[in-house]
């Protein structure tokens, strides 16, 4: 159903419309929820490309697809690509003055990448602390799994 809706948008509005990009992102999310990670990652990359063509590389609408591409890249064992996508997502969220908690999932990807190298653990810790601070005052259920993972990571990586 989601794929048919995406195809309908593409036919009606063209492959480079923001609505087509958004529907492509949704299809990727459906694939991810179904456990079809490879399909999800490829679809989210197409959505990111479509958002960039439709709205430009600094559009706030790129934040979710970039965060998803970052998670995919980490899942696929490409930490460099994960870090690049996560940093771009965080920069877009901050430059567009969106709710800082929106950067939480991207910061969590970055923490996992940076935290795996001894030389960058301090930077990872800084991102983890910032993400948890950004969530302060938000409903507890908002990104509860991300919050819990960040808190566990901080406990497992104490300041030395």
């Amino acid at each position: 159903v989601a794929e048919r809706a995406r195809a309908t948008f593409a036919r009606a509005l063209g492959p480079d419309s923001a609505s087509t990009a958004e529907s492509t992102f949704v299809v990727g999310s459906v694939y991810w929820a179904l456990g079809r990670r490879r399909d999800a990652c490829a679809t989210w990359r197409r959505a990111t490309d479509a958002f960039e063509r439709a709205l430009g590389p600094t559009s706030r609408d790129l934040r979710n697809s970039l965060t998803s591409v970052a998670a995919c890249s980490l899942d696929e064992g490409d930490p460099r690509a994960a870090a690049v996508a996560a940093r771009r997502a965080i920069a877009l969220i901050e430059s567009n003055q969106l709710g800082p908690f929106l950067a939480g999932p991207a910061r969590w990807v970055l923490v996992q990448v940076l935290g795996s190298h001894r030389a960058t653990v301090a930077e990872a810790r800084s991102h983890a602390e910032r993400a948890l601070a950004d969530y302060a005052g938000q409903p507890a259920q908002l990104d509860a799994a991300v919050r819990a993972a960040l808190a566990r990571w901080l406990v497992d990586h104490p300041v030395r």
Side-chain angles (χ1 to χ4, degrees), residues 91-148:
L92 287 172
I93 290 163
E94 290 175 347
S95 68
N96 285 289
Q97 298 178 338
L98 304 175
F101 62 88
L102 293 174
R107 285 192 193 285
W108 172 231
V109 170
L110 201 52
V111 165
Q112 292 174 84
V113 170
L114 297 172
S116 65
H117 303 288
R118 187 176 191 150
T120 55
V121 168
E123 184 182 356
R125 187 170 179 77
S126 172
H127 279 283
E129 290 169 345
R130 172 109 184 253
L132 285 177
D134 289 345
Y135 281 119
Q138 299 301 318
Q141 67 273 21
L142 179 67
D143 289 335
V146 172
R147 286 178 172 186

Side-chain angles (χ1 to χ4, degrees), residues 28-144:
S29 299
V30 170
Y31 285 150
W32 188 267
L34 293 172
R36 295 173 54 184
R37 290 182 178 236
R38 187 172 284 163
D39 292 331
C41 294
T43 303
W44 281 332
R45 286 183 176 98
R46 283 197 317 273
T48 300
D49 292 342
F51 274 123
E52 287 178 331
R53 285 191 306 274
L55 303 171
T58 59
S59 171
R60 63 191 277 162
D61 293 321
L62 277 163
R63 73 183 187 278
N64 289 332
S65 63
L66 283 170
T67 298
S68 297
V69 166
C72 282
S73 297
L74 186 63
D75 191 57
E76 295 169 341
D78 188 350
R80 277 203 175 111
V84 168
R87 287 182 193 280
R88 275 192 69 200
I90 293 165
L92 287 172
I93 290 163
E94 290 175 347
S95 68
N96 285 289
Q97 298 178 338
L98 304 175
F101 62 88
L102 293 174
R107 285 192 193 285
W108 172 231
V109 170
L110 201 52
V111 165
Q112 292 174 84
V113 170
L114 297 172
S116 65
H117 303 288
R118 187 176 191 150
T120 55
V121 168
E123 184 182 356
R125 187 170 179 77
S126 172
H127 279 283
E129 290 169 345
R130 172 109 184 253
L132 285 177
D134 289 345
Y135 281 119
Q138 299 301 318
Q141 67 273 21
L142 179 67
D143 289 335

